[in-house]
Amino acid sequence: DLLSAGCEHLTVLPLYPQQASSSTGAAVERVFDLLRPRQSHPPLTILPRFYDEPGFLSAWVDSGRPILDAE
């Protein structure tokens, strides 16, 4: 659908914060499977793991804080 709509660049963010090549690899492989039949496709960026990114860690703490504070 994205390609039919004229997408000019694809960015893939596997939603697995941990470094698990089996999960991330399966998600990336699926993207390549979908693109393989096409003769051409827009540039593709695959974002790396993010489990140790400060912004992710901060958001994780913020989302859990109310639960921890309630106990």
Side-chain angles (χ1 to χ4, degrees), residues 11-52:
T11 300
V12 177
L13 173 61
L15 296 177
Y16 305 100
Q18 75 280 5
Q19 177 57 34
S21 58
S22 60
S23 322
T24 301
V28 171
E29 183 176 3
R30 179 66 179 137
V31 170
F32 286 128
D33 287 345
L34 292 168
L35 294 175
R36 189 171 292 114
R38 303 183 67 84
Q39 287 188 336
S40 66
H41 57 79
L44 175 68
T45 300
I46 299 172
L47 298 177
R49 61 177 175 50
F50 56 94
Y51 70 88
D52 57 353

Side-chain angles (χ1 to χ4, degrees), residues 56-71:
F56 172 74
L57 294 173
S58 177
W60 190 260
V61 168
D62 291 346
S63 68
R65 179 64 55 206
I67 296 166
L68 294 173
D69 289 346
E71 291 186 3

